[in-house]
Amino acid sequence: MTTQTSTPNTPATPTANTPTGLIGIPPHAGRALATAGGALTVVSTFLAWTWTSEFPGDLTYYGYPGGLQVLVLVAGALTTLFALSSYGVRGLRWLTPAGADAAIKLAALAAFATTWYTVLAISLELGGLVNLEPGAYLAATATLLALLGALALPFERPEPDPIDPDETGWARFQHNAGHTWQTVKAAFTSGTPRAVPPLSSYAEILIIVGILSLALVVFTYGIGTGYDELFVGFLITAGFGFAALNKSGLIAQASHITARHQNITVCGAFIAAACFPFTQTDDQYATLGVYILIFATVALGLNIVVGLAGLLDLGYVAFLGVGAYAASLVSGSPSSPFGVHFPFWAAVLVGAIASLIFGVLIGAPTLRLRGDYLAIVTLGFGEIFRIAVNNLDGTSGPDLTNGSNGISSIPDLTILGFDLGAPHDIAGFTIGRFANYFFLMLAITAVVVLVFRRSSDSRIGRAWVAIREDETAALAMGINGFRVKLIAFALGATLAGLAGTVQAHVTYTVTPEQYLFAGTTPPNSAFLLAAVVLGGMGTIAGPLIGASLLFLIPNKLQFLGDYQLLAFGLALVLIMRFRPEGLIPNRRRQLEFHTEDDAPAVLSKTGA
């Protein structure tokens, strides 16, 4: 009987026990095919894909990618870089600290899906394959080859060494990167692996600046997509691209670095957001920006109730309506029966205090309920609020809210002589009405983020988490459950009312139909709850990102008509299937949805 022996420094050869991919190509040949296909995909984007400019984006140029070609270029470049990283190319090893195979698969899938979607769209809209130029054929072939090569890569990865969960983020990065490099080195080269030098604090801060800059570019590109085909391609590339970066380990490492410099990250995020209006030439997309901020701020307030305290509130949008109605009644609207015009600060206080009062009044008799019973009661409150303001028209009830017509002609805000309804020139840039409200809403979002951070890190915040995890155990430890839950309910309602005061002035009109439990467009209670769960319960960035996606995607998918909600719902199901803990989860949520073996590799120190 003979045995085969091998040394770590000899190239790996396929054996009966070698992990294989989905197809019969050897893994080393598949890796080479994926690399070549990714490189050819990049080359194809510099060629013309069609001979006519009738297709949106004008894909007729040579040497200059445009429209959907830019997205294919990004996906092809990711595929190539991940593939080269798997070979241990100097300077690229840091791209795949958690392994390259899964990242190559997803990046190749992003390039393939975006390319073939573009090719099919050109053929269908222009009338056949005859409208395709050689660049399109090359792109379709290259992405197919890259995908086949990626599918040949093994689905099993070498088990990593045990990781100390108390390690710092960068120490864990060194651990993963060193392990991956040793594996690659043993498979493809010979010699001694080199350790990755640690980064200084200044280098990590530069990385944070790069991450925020990239986030601003991606958001600006997504919100500024000028036609439907480009937005669909953006969703495909961004979705699979994010999944590829997550599988490579870069998302986890980025979260570790940002957690080490949390204050700098938060300040930098607001600075990046403040730059958004200056990237727009008119108010078309700044309008979406201010509505996204309103929706995101309300979602962050709901995150206190649901994410921290664990109270399922299905009527939370009613508190947004209470703040909006209260502010509109005292802001000088001719539809208001009071006939008063409070200054901005007074109107904000009225809206916030009104929501606070309603939060206490609703929470006091209902928060002794738990689970589904509490959800049903809050759902009823949301419907009662909408029906009540609809009947306060002077016919069915007192003349207070003007019924279904709502409070209209709400004047623009004026703060210290600065009229937010008029355009202003700042440093050579013309800032329009919606950009002015964007900056105001950004300041309010900063206040809400500060309140969320301080309250979640406080004694009351720890009590909320204890109530959420096990209310019976928390009560046994001496926590006053009713008082703690009432504080969470009241604080969440106050933050929603604060955002409602700005919403009333941005929309000019407040009507009952704006505050439904469910509808085709946010804000409504169903979308708010989905934003918290999708983004990541108990975190700051999670609901902000989740709300941005849930507001932007339905707005851009209106061309689908009756199939809009079907496509949107399918996307949510897929996201929650493959990312059940949310896009930006905290440590506890990841422990709930991952096994003990793989949890330490994805956990972060903080959920912020």
Side-chain angles (χ1 to χ4, degrees), residues 449-544:
V449 168
L450 178 62
V451 171
F452 184 92
R453 286 190 63 187
R454 300 301 297 174
S455 59
S456 62
D457 294 336
S458 66
R459 180 180 178 182
I460 191 68
R462 293 191 295 271
W464 287 336
V465 173
I467 290 291
R468 183 191 69 192
E469 295 301 315
D470 193 330
E471 184 172 352
T472 302
L475 295 177
M477 295 301 293
I479 295 177
N480 188 330
F482 173 75
R483 182 176 64 87
V484 167
K485 291 191 291 184
L486 185 60
I487 292 174
F489 212 74
L491 181 58
T494 303
L495 297 181
L498 191 65
T501 60
V502 179
Q503 185 208 27
H505 292 85
V506 170
T507 57
Y508 286 127
T509 302
V510 180
T511 59
E513 288 73 20
Q514 295 175 342
Y515 309 104
L516 302 172
F517 167 71
T520 57
T521 57
N524 54 63
S525 293
F527 272 80
L528 287 170
L529 185 61
V532 174
V533 177
L534 173 65
M537 295 173 58
T539 66
I540 294 176
L544 297 179

Side-chain angles (χ1 to χ4, degrees), residues 198-287:
L199 290 179
S200 65
S201 296
Y202 295 105
E204 291 185 344
I205 292 173
L206 288 178
I207 291 176
I208 293 173
V209 172
I211 293 172
L212 295 176
S213 300
L214 179 62
L216 177 61
V217 170
V218 172
F219 177 77
T220 303
Y221 187 91
I223 203 173
T225 49
Y227 49 95
D228 302 332
E229 295 86 352
L230 184 59
F231 183 73
V232 174
F234 169 77
L235 286 181
I236 295 173
T237 305
F240 286 116
F242 177 84
L245 293 174
N246 181 58
K247 287 294 185 180
S248 71
L250 288 178
I251 299 296
Q253 304 311 326
S255 66
H256 294 324
I257 293 175
T258 55
R260 289 165 59 94
H261 306 276
Q262 200 171 80
N263 292 331
I264 294 176
T265 302
V266 172
C267 294
F270 279 102
I271 293 174
C275 294
F276 168 73
F278 295 101
T279 64
Q280 309 301 312
T281 56
D282 53 40
D283 264 4
Q284 179 182 1
Y285 299 120
T287 305

Side-chain angles (χ1 to χ4, degrees), residues 322-332 347-348 350-351 410 500-502 504-505:
V322 170
Y325 266 99
S328 63
L329 289 172
V330 298
S331 294
V348 167
V350 169
I410 302 173
T501 60
V502 179
H505 292 85

